[in-house]
Amino acid sequence: MLKLKPKFDLDKDVVSDILRKEASVCRVKEYFGAVDACFLNIERDGGILFSWKGAAGTTRIGKYDPNTRQNKLLYTFDKLVCVSSCSLNKEETLLAISLTQNTSAADHLDPASKCLTLLIEIHPINNTKVLKAVDCRVKVQFLDSGSDRRSVLESHLLLLTEDGYVDLYHVLLARQEGYRVVVSNPERLSRTAERVVEDFCWIQWDGHTQRIYYLTRQGGSEHRCLPQDKFLLRCVQFHLSHHWETALELPLELPPNPFRTVKFINLGFDRFHADRPGCDLVRMEVFTSRIGSMCVCYSQPRPDDPELTYTVVLVHKDCSKTFRVRLDRNQLTTRQLHPVFIPTGYYILVYLQGHFLHCVNTRQQEMLCHSLFLSGAEAELDLRCHPADVAVLHAEEESVCRLLDLNGGRIHAAEVNPEFLLQILRSDAPSRCPGGKTEPQRLAALHCLQVYLGNDPKLELKVQEC
């Protein structure tokens, strides 16, 4: 169903270069030490932040530029540390890092805290400022500074905490000696912090639109202990002037405690805090597209219920669609309770490996024949990894979705494969649709092809021949 095109491979594009650099540092012909490279974050410009274990017990932070396909060293810690979150400002003068406590190590960050959040000057490497020392996870993310020349001397940083609040730091910079960029009045930095979000249990960052989506209990935190099932999904829009506003409030009805812990979506990759698949009652993501659609997708599987329920809220259409699919529970594992949501322009693909693939039309939701439902062997996406290990990297400016294999360290561009849809049009075999009818599937496949035809006369000719 999907056509995958390789875009990035951590081993080929990063690790091989790291080994050469470490060999140079150690003044040896080849370096055979374990570098233990891992993803940290992907910034708006597509730059990939990563860390690795350097020689002599150091921890290094680097950036891969997809345009030049070059790697750059940003910063080196002189000891092994656990980097749980990282972000780089657009001008590459500041690095924000959250370090988590390594309980197995003898050298602790701070006896009073489990997480240390730092702001580091790296142009050139200079001072380090402690922003927070707390007992909860902290995510960091710089806002995009835009193209305004004045923005070179200011940066704006989000700190998102597991305690359920978001602060925005306004960092003023100064240029010294013609090239050195430093933080102005670092001792007053905490006074610039602005509280953006007060209470959330789920939060998603969209770097391309500079938005935060977060879920909060309707009524506020003072009702946290009550068995409520009413939530508000809010959207905060950040502008180039670095002012922000609440752009959307959407009521949702969910189970009283939908998440085992606070959920961070699209806010980097923390190898030291691996979520246990299947523990949450709800899995949710928000997708927007350049054609003007906005979809809120969430699933609600129940271990004791043979039916899987999932909902696609079409905000741009002011409606929602809830679907129920009966599953074979004997074939489910704890890693498979939730489906994966994959945006592909007009469609949202809902995929549960080994069970079904549902292509939900987000523009013409009135007619079910415009959505394609497949099961069995036809429903395999061939993701080349387990769906639980896939992170969806979605940007509304792009017509192609990207999928990150967290275990394999690979990124693939994914788009609907027209050849697969043509096979459905040509097939005369009985369908798995109720009653053995083939026409609903063929009509849905034809409609999907028409959406993706574009200006391809060869593909149009193939459709006519079916």
Side-chain angles (χ1 to χ4, degrees), residues 159-339:
L159 264 63
L160 311 94
T161 73
E162 196 174 27
D163 280 346
Y165 64 87
V166 179
D167 286 340
L168 174 60
Y169 283 75
H170 303 283
V171 185
L172 298 181
L173 304 171
R175 192 179 299 276
Q176 297 177 352
E177 302 173 9
Y179 72 98
R180 184 188 302 272
V181 178
V182 299
V183 176
S184 298
N185 300 321
E187 66 280 355
R188 299 181 58 185
L189 192 56
S190 59
R191 300 180 187 178
T192 71
E194 185 180 1
R195 185 61 52 91
V196 176
V197 176
E198 191 66 47
D199 181 54
F200 67 84
C201 58
W202 172 98
I203 193 162
Q204 175 178 322
W205 167 246
D206 188 336
H208 291 268
T209 59
Q210 297 289 282
R211 293 173 187 158
I212 279 177
Y213 300 97
Y214 71 95
L215 195 65
T216 184
R217 287 170 173 80
Q218 200 164 2
S221 58
E222 64 272 14
H223 301 296
R224 185 186 292 269
C225 297
L226 297 179
Q228 294 185 2
D229 59 356
K230 294 187 181 297
F231 292 78
L232 278 178
L233 177 68
R234 290 194 175 108
C235 171
V236 175
Q237 175 71 63
F238 296 94
H239 300 285
L240 287 179
S241 61
H242 306 298
H243 296 145
W244 56 272
E245 62 177 343
T246 301
L248 172 73
E249 286 191 351
L250 180 69
L252 295 176
E253 290 193 4
L254 299 172
N257 297 296
F259 308 104
R260 183 177 60 88
T261 60
V262 169
K263 290 298 167 187
F264 297 101
I265 310 296
N266 296 343
L267 283 160
F269 313 101
D270 185 357
R271 67 185 301 181
F272 303 102
H273 182 88
D275 288 331
R276 289 183 293 173
C279 291
D280 296 317
L281 297 179
V282 172
R283 176 174 183 168
M284 186 169 75
E285 290 186 70
V286 179
F287 302 109
T288 57
S289 76
R290 57 183 178 179
I291 59 177
S293 65
M294 175 179 174
C295 302
V296 182
C297 307
Y298 58 92
S299 58
Q300 302 181 68
R302 296 180 181 178
D304 57 344
D305 191 339
E307 284 189 339
L308 168 66
T309 301
Y310 55 95
T311 300
V312 179
V313 182
L314 307 174
V315 180
H316 56 286
K317 290 287 188 177
D318 193 24
C319 71
S320 66
K321 291 288 183 179
T322 298
F323 305 92
R324 292 176 176 85
V325 180
R326 183 170 292 273
L327 305 174
D328 183 355
R329 288 287 166 175
N330 295 326
Q331 298 181 9
L332 278 178
T333 66
T334 55
R335 301 190 80 200
Q336 281 186 290
L337 291 180
H338 290 282

Side-chain angles (χ1 to χ4, degrees), residues 75 147 153 188 213 263 353 384:
Y75 188 76
S147 57
L153 294 180
R188 299 181 58 185
Y213 300 97
K263 290 298 167 187
Q353 188 179 44
R384 303 175 190 176

Side-chain angles (χ1 to χ4, degrees), residues 64-79:
Y64 172 80
D65 188 330
N67 298 315
T68 63
R69 303 184 70 84
Q70 298 294 315
N71 297 298
K72 177 191 297 185
L73 174 64
L74 299 175
Y75 188 76
T76 299
F77 290 95
D78 59 5
K79 60 182 178 180

Side-chain angles (χ1 to χ4, degrees), residues 437-449:
K437 297 179 181 178
T438 60
E439 285 310 306
Q441 277 189 326
R442 290 165 61 89
L443 185 58
L446 176 60
H447 189 272
C448 189
L449 272 169

